[in-house]
Amino acid sequence: MTSQSYTKSTSRSLPIALLRARETVMAPVRDMLQNIPMTEQKWRILRVLDELGEVEQSTIAHEACLLLPSLTRILRTMEADGQITRRQDNHDKRCTKVKITDEGRGILEENLLASLVISSNIEAQLGREKLDHLLNLLEELQAVKI
């Protein structure tokens, strides 16, 4: 394969297509978050904690797609800002449990409408059936062993 033919194939390259799709989806989310102001990572953490309740840090890292060292640093800031609380697990002192606070939940609630508008716009353009199919395919892709 020549370098010229290799570069032409980027439009059908899965990694690049996924990155482009992510940027398409995240652009309006970033605009929303600028008004708060909040980072994408903190938003994901709040969403995960709101959905799962009190959980261990490694669960948050997995669900929010963050590296554990980065998560630990971000959680310190979020705790200082009153958005989350952390405590040692009662049974395993090596584990830290994290929980969203009313302050953190308030941030989600204050931005719920804007978040729903973004989701609705994507669904309106793709259609519910295609969006569900895309989400199913992405879940299937996550399970692939490469």
Side-chain angles (χ1 to χ4, degrees), residues 46 75-85 99-107:
L46 288 177
L75 290 178
R76 267 195 298 265
T77 304
M78 293 178 76
E79 186 175 33
D81 291 342
Q83 299 162 351
I84 59 112
T85 59
K99 184 177 174 181
I100 191 170
T101 63
D102 289 341
E103 174 79 20
R105 194 167 283 108
I107 292 169

Side-chain angles (χ1 to χ4, degrees), residues 62-141:
H62 174 70
E63 295 297 320
C65 299
L66 293 165
L67 298 174
L68 198 51
S70 297
L71 175 68
T72 302
R73 179 184 45 79
I74 295 166
L75 290 178
R76 267 195 298 265
T77 304
M78 293 178 76
E79 186 175 33
D81 291 342
Q83 299 162 351
I84 59 112
T85 59
R86 295 187 295 174
R87 67 172 183 82
Q88 273 188 334
D89 184 275
N90 293 335
H91 304 290
D92 185 350
K93 300 297 182 196
R94 297 169 296 169
C95 292
T96 301
K97 296 284 193 164
V98 183
K99 184 177 174 181
I100 191 170
T101 63
D102 289 341
E103 174 79 20
R105 194 167 283 108
I107 292 169
L108 293 177
E109 289 171 3
E110 289 168 15
N111 294 281
L112 177 63
L113 181 59
S115 181
L116 290 174
V117 166
I118 294 167
S119 297
S120 295
N121 285 340
I122 294 168
E123 183 177 335
Q125 292 182 55
L126 282 181
R128 180 80 247 161
E129 189 175 315
K130 278 186 179 178
L131 183 57
D132 283 340
H133 185 62
L134 174 61
L135 291 169
N136 290 338
L137 287 172
L138 289 171
E139 283 181 3
E140 195 176 315
L141 180 60

